Amino acid sequence: MNVLAVGAHPDDLELQCFGTLALYAEQGHQVFAAVVTNGDKGNFDVEPAELARIREAEFRASCAVIGAVPIWMGYEDEYLIPSLKARLAVTDAIRQANPDVVITHGPSDYHPDHRYAGQLVWDALPLAGIAGVKTAHAAMDRQATLYHMDNFGGVEFRPTEFVDITGAMEKKLEALGKHASQLRIFGQLLDVDLRDVVRTVAKFRGYQAGSVYAEGFAKVEAWYRGLARRVLPTAEQPGRFVYRTGPSEPREE
């Protein structure tokens, strides 16, 4: 399959769905990671043009960790709106990947760039298969299934499906570690360790999913996009806990 994940900012996918993308890649699927904005407003002590350059380099290094194809769209951070120009740009990004599965932000996310990126993907998907809508890439030749990924910190998000990312957790953290500019600024300004956020949310979703670590998703239900099969990856060696009836401690399998 071809898999496309679309995030608003250069570290959004690493935070919310990179474990799943890593599993897709490990299982032989072609993974594309698209970022709509350039993240140029994210640090108070780096000028926007320089920060955009830094964050693009960090994003490309992160994609290399899992072997994803990066798609850098370059819209200004904090100013994203669902314009026709942006919709057509997202349409072209979707066509570049020609995906079977698309993952993006949901409508309950806290950041307007996140919500608008998700809206743009939703609006662009029907256009991506219409040959009369002209962009740089040809119309896609398949119907994609759309999933919303978790919100930051898991706030106000109810997953309908889970992916056991226990075996991909270290790659997810390695990829997030490439975003040094964001790790620094979150720690400096908010006293937040993004790696700890990722571990905590993945552990919590793991409790819900019956695994050590998991990522949660919600399938977007729409006409002609229903499936009778699972398309989210299944871990080859699930990280289950086995409980004994005696006094010994639970052990991880």
Side-chain angles (χ1 to χ4, degrees):
M1 294 192 301
N2 292 346
V3 179
L4 170 65
V6 182
H9 304 117
D11 59 338
D12 289 336
L13 300 180
E14 289 81 352
L15 290 166
Q16 313 296 48
C17 71
F18 239 54
T20 297
L21 297 186
L23 284 177
Y24 272 127
E26 288 173 7
Q27 293 171 13
H29 303 292
Q30 178 69 72
V31 175
F32 296 81
V35 171
V36 182
T37 78
N38 60 15
D40 66 346
K41 308 295 192 305
N43 294 34
F44 73 93
D45 54 355
V46 182
E47 288 300 311
E50 174 63 10
L51 185 57
R53 185 195 65 76
I54 291 170
R55 299 204 67 188
E56 180 178 2
E58 290 174 343
F59 169 66
R60 293 184 183 279
S62 173
C63 286
V65 171
I66 66 168
V69 177
I71 300 175
W72 182 260
M73 298 181 65
Y75 278 79
E76 275 193 89
D77 189 13
E78 306 299 330
Y79 299 155
L80 187 64
I81 58 172
S83 65
L84 178 58
K85 178 183 177 182
R87 188 193 305 180
L88 291 173
V90 173
T91 299
D92 192 61
I94 293 170
R95 287 175 167 181
Q96 181 179 340
N98 195 25
D100 300 275
V101 182
V102 179
I103 298 169
T104 193
H105 302 280
S108 64
D109 210 308
Y110 83 102
H111 197 293
D113 284 352
H114 295 186
R115 296 194 302 273
Y116 290 146
Q119 184 66 50
L120 284 164
V121 171
W122 173 241
D123 293 344
L125 267 174
L127 301 186
I130 299 174
V133 176
K134 303 298 183 182
T135 67
H137 292 85
M140 57 189 290
D141 62 8
R142 64 197 75 187
Q143 180 66 54
T145 299
L146 180 62
Y147 283 90
H148 288 152
M149 60 189 176
D150 216 333
N151 293 341
F152 187 62
V155 178
E156 290 296 320
F157 187 80
R158 293 186 178 274
T160 59
E161 295 184 44
F162 295 92
V163 176
D164 178 354
I165 64 163
T166 306
M169 192 63 186
E170 289 309 311
K171 273 198 173 181
K172 178 182 173 80
L173 291 169
E174 180 184 352
L176 180 61
K178 301 299 182 183
H179 291 276
S181 65
Q182 283 297 93
L183 293 174
R184 177 181 69 83
I185 210 69
F186 266 77
Q188 186 173 346
L189 293 182
L190 301 175
D191 196 25
V192 169
D193 182 349
L194 288 179
R195 290 160 294 199
D196 183 61
V197 173
V198 161
R199 289 189 190 95
T200 301
V201 174
K203 186 69 174 176
F204 174 67
R205 295 304 184 200
Y207 287 135
Q208 296 175 295
S211 63
V212 180
Y213 294 113
E215 289 174 339
F217 300 89
K219 182 179 176 294
V220 179
E221 301 295 341
W223 166 251
Y224 206 60
R225 298 183 192 179
L227 293 171
R229 62 187 178 90
R230 180 182 170 96
V231 294
L232 290 176
T234 300
E236 297 295 334
Q237 296 180 329
R240 298 184 294 117
F241 279 109
V242 176
Y243 289 90
R244 304 305 183 194
T245 57
S248 60
E249 289 294 318
R251 68 179 178 84
E252 180 186 332
E253 265 194 353

